[in-house]
């Protein structure tokens, strides 16, 4: 089981790099070419969500991406450090807008990935997405 780890500052301009790295590692792991566009979009949504959560909570810690190749699957986990409970801010409309964007991002990811898990607690959140890999045929 090989894993590539990527950490980047929670800034929107780094999301593109995360998408490109994810697609390259997925291709090398054996994920079908026809799925790579959806994979790139899902990783972009997950990373954008993490960047947005870091901004809402004024966090300076990096966004974490783990790309893991297993025998029959390829898994990507995107982690953030945003607590699951949102404190009551002075500007309620900004938090409501962030929550709406968060829900939309999760809906897009769920539409793109068949195997997705979202976990969130007081220490942060994680989106785990998984795709099958092509198995080598014996000749």
């Amino acid at each position: 089981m090989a894993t590539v780890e990527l950490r980047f500052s929670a800034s929107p301009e780094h999301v593109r790099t995360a998408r490109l790295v994810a697609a390259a590692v997925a291709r090398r792991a054996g994920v079908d070419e026809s799925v790579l566009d959806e994979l790139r979009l899902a990783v972009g949504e997950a990373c954008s969500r993490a960047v947005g959560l870091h901004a809402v909570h004024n966090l300076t810690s990096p966004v974490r991406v783990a790309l893991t190749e297993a025998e029959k699957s390829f898994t990507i986990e995107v982690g953030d450090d945003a607590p699951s409970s949102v404190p009551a801010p002075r500007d309620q409309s900004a938090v409501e807008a962030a929550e709406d964007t968060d829900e939309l991002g999760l809906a897009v990811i769920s539409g793109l990935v068949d195997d997705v898990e979202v976990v969130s607690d007081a220490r942060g959140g994680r989106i785990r997405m998984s795709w099958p890999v092509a198995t080598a045929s014996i000749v």
Side-chain angles (χ1 to χ4, degrees):
M1 184 185 290
T3 300
V4 173
E5 292 185 15
L6 175 66
R7 292 176 188 262
F8 62 91
S9 58
S11 184
E13 57 265 14
H14 299 304
V15 171
R16 180 176 187 268
T17 302
R19 284 193 327 249
L20 293 172
V21 169
V25 175
R27 180 179 284 118
R28 186 177 182 286
V31 173
D32 192 82
E33 284 288 327
S34 65
V35 180
L36 290 180
D37 284 339
E38 287 89 359
L39 182 143
R40 259 190 298 273
L41 288 170
V43 169
E45 285 294 329
C47 288
S48 293
R49 176 183 180 271
V51 167
L53 288 170
H54 277 231
V56 166
H57 293 282
N58 295 316
L59 301 172
T60 58
S61 58
V63 172
R64 300 171 310 280
V65 181
L67 311 149
T68 305
E69 176 186 355
E71 186 177 327
K72 296 183 180 182
S73 66
F74 178 70
T75 303
I76 299 176
E77 290 185 7
V78 177
D80 63 68
D81 292 334
S84 63
S85 59
V86 178
R90 294 181 198 152
D91 183 8
Q92 188 64 25
S93 62
V95 168
E96 287 173 355
E99 288 174 353
D100 289 345
T101 301
D102 183 41
E103 290 176 21
L104 179 61
L106 290 175
V108 169
I109 293 167
S110 295
L112 292 169
V113 183
D114 291 335
D115 184 9
V116 63
E117 175 186 13
V118 179
V119 178
S120 185
D121 59 25
R123 294 175 307 204
R126 177 178 50 103
I127 297 177
R128 186 195 58 78
M129 304 168 282
S130 186
W131 293 266
V133 295
T135 55
S137 59
I138 301 174
V139 183

